Structure formats: C-alpha cells, structure tokens
Amino acid sequence: MIAQLFLSVLLAGILLYAWTEYRRSPVVALLSLFVTTAGLYFVWFPAHSTLIAEWVGIGRGVDLILYIWVCISLIVLLNLHLKLRTQTELITTLARKLAISDAHSQQQ
C-alpha cells in the first residue's frame, strides 16, 4: 500500500508537469498523459497488467511493463540524440558562416 501511494504521488507529479507543458509540446504532453494514466491504472490494479501480459504471451505483468518502459526509453533516447545532432550541425553551420563573414570583413 505504501508503494502504491508513493508511485501514485510520483505519477501525479508527472501528470501535473505534462499538463503544464501542453502548450509547449502537445504531442509529448498527450503521450505523457496517456502513459502516466496507464501507469496509475496498473499501480492500483496490478492484476490487470498480468492478464494483458499473458494475453500477449509474456509471463508476468511486471515484465510487460518493464519491456514497454525500455522501448519508450529507447525511443526517447533516439529522439534526443537526433535533436542534439541537428543542433550541433546548426551550430557548426553558423560558426562557419560567422568565420567566413569575419574573414571577408577583415580583408576589406
């Protein structure tokens, strides 16, 4: 019961954060709201995760949730990597243009 309350408070914090970030990134906020709501549901009804896990061919509900969490984490990690790479390429392009601009202005 203590774990359920602790996890519920943490998930409620994530729900609040997702709700406040909706204007900035609606897709991420809606996905966060969906995943967090599902997390709250499975925290309070863990037997249902076991039923779903057995239905899809996984032994335990905890395993199913862990597998889904790993997949979501990998997708988020890939997304962050791609955004960071894009930002790095943009900074490189800007630095090149600035260096060329400075070189032209010093020649004149």
Side-chain angles (χ1 to χ4, degrees), residues 34-90:
F34 173 74
V35 170
T36 306
T37 304
L40 279 170
Y41 179 79
F42 289 131
V43 163
W44 287 100
F45 303 105
H48 292 179
S49 67
T50 303
L51 291 174
I52 294 170
E54 289 172 354
W55 182 68
V56 296
I58 299 172
R60 298 181 312 164
V62 173
D63 294 338
L64 174 66
I65 291 171
L66 184 63
Y67 297 155
I68 291 171
W69 179 255
V70 168
C71 291
I72 290 172
S73 297
L74 289 173
I75 290 168
V76 168
L77 185 63
L78 176 64
N79 186 27
L80 288 173
H81 170 73
L82 293 174
K83 285 185 178 189
L84 181 61
R85 188 172 178 158
T86 301
Q87 291 295 321
T88 303
E89 290 172 3
L90 179 62

Side-chain angles (χ1 to χ4, degrees), residues 14 17 69:
I14 294 171
Y17 177 75
W69 179 255

